[in-house]
C-alpha cells in the first residue's frame, strides 16, 4: 500500500477532469458550430437554421464527441486514476479502478467520463472513511462556475454575452437575407 493521501488527491483531480470533459466537448462543439452558423447565415438562412439545429443537438443531446480538449482531459483523468490505483497496491479499490479504466477504453467520451466519475464518486468517500482521512478534501460539485470560471468563459468567447452577440449577428443576417430574397 502506498500513500493513501496521494491516492485521494489523484481521485479528486480525476473527478474534476471527468466532470469537465463532456462540458469541454460541448463548448468546443458549440464554438465550432457558432463559427459555422455565422458563415452559413451569410450564405443562406436555410443552411444557418440547419447548423443551429445541429449545434443544439450536439450541445444538448450528446456533447460527448471526442473533441481534442475533451479527449485530453479524459486521458489525463485516466492517467491520474492509474496513479491512484498504483498507490492502492493490492487494495480492492485498485482492482475497481483498473476495471473501470478498461471499460472506459471502449466507451464514447461522455459515457466513459460518466462511468469513471461514478466509480470515483463511490470510492473517494469510502477510502477517506476507511483510512481515517476525513480531513482530506472531499469531492466537489464541479458544475458550479465561480467568478474566475465566468471570466475565463467570457475571455474564450463562450460566455452568455458572446453567445447573445453571435445570435444577434445571425438573426440580423438572416432577416437581411430573407428580406433581400423577398425583394428579388
Amino acid at each position: 500500500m502506498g500513500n493513501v493521501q496521494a491516492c485521494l488527491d489523484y481521485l479528486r483531480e480525476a473527478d474534476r477532469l471527468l466532470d469537465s470533459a463532456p462540458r469541454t466537448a460541448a463548448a468546443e462543439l458549440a464554438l465550432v458550430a457558432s463559427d459555422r452558423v455565422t458563415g452559413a447565415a451569410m450564405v443562406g438562412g436555410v443552411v444557418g437554421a440547419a447548423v443551429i439545429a445541429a449545434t443544439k443537438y450536439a450541445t444538448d443531446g450528446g456533447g460527448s464527441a471526442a473533441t481534442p480538449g475533451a479527449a485530453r482531459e479524459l486521458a489525463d483523468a485516466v492517467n491520474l486514476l492509474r496513479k491512484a490505483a498504483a498507490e492502492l497496491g493490492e487494495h480492492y479499490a485498485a482492482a475497481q479502478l483498473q476495471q473501470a479504466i478498461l471499460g472506459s477504453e471502449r466507451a464514447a467520451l461522455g459515457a466513459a467520463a460518466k462511468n469513471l466519475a461514478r466509480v470515483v464518486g463511490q470510492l473517494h468517500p469510502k477510502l477517506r472513511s476507511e483510512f481515517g482521512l476525513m480531513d482530506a478534501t472531499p469531492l466537489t460539485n464541479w458544475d458550479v462556475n465561480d467568478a474566475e470560471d465566468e471570466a475565463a468563459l467570457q475571455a474564450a468567447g463562450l460566455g452568455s454575452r458572446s453567445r447573445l452577440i453571435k445570435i444577434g449577428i445571425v438573426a440580423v443576417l438572416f432577416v437581411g437575407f430573407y428580406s433581400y430574397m423577398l425583394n428579388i
Side-chain angles (χ1 to χ4, degrees):
M1 178 79 74
N3 184 345
V4 177
Q5 181 62 49
C7 172
L8 291 173
D9 292 341
Y10 292 143
L11 290 174
R12 190 172 192 289
E13 181 61 16
D15 183 59
R16 184 188 67 77
L17 291 168
L18 292 169
D19 182 70
S20 177
R23 291 187 295 143
T24 298
E28 288 176 340
L29 289 172
L31 182 61
V32 169
S34 174
D35 292 344
R36 288 182 184 162
V37 167
T38 304
M42 292 179 194
V43 174
V46 174
V47 175
V51 173
I52 288 171
T55 302
K56 181 166 176 32
Y57 172 76
T59 57
D60 292 345
S64 60
T67 61
R72 186 174 43 254
E73 287 177 346
L74 181 62
D76 289 347
V78 167
N79 286 334
L80 289 167
L81 293 177
R82 285 190 175 115
K83 289 179 182 180
E87 290 291 342
L88 290 171
E90 298 296 320
H91 193 272
Y92 75 92
Q96 251 184 308
L97 283 173
Q98 292 297 347
Q99 185 178 9
I101 291 168
L102 288 174
S104 74
E105 293 172 353
R106 289 170 284 208
L109 184 136
K114 185 177 181 178
N115 290 336
L116 288 171
R118 182 182 49 77
V119 170
V120 170
Q122 293 170 353
L123 286 180
H124 192 275
K126 285 181 184 176
L127 292 172
R128 283 178 67 217
S129 176
E130 184 176 331
F131 290 100
L133 295 170
M134 297 311 290
D135 59 332
T137 308
L139 296 180
T140 305
N141 181 2
W142 303 107
D143 289 338
V144 178
N145 288 342
D146 60 11
E148 185 178 316
D149 294 335
E150 291 297 333
L153 286 170
Q154 290 298 337
L158 298 173
S160 57
R161 188 174 355 137
S162 298
R163 274 183 269 155
L164 287 175
I165 290 171
K166 289 177 183 179
I167 290 169
I169 291 170
V170 170
V172 167
L173 291 173
F174 180 75
V175 169
F177 178 78
Y178 185 72
S179 63
Y180 173 77
M181 293 303 290
L182 286 176
N183 290 329
I184 290 184

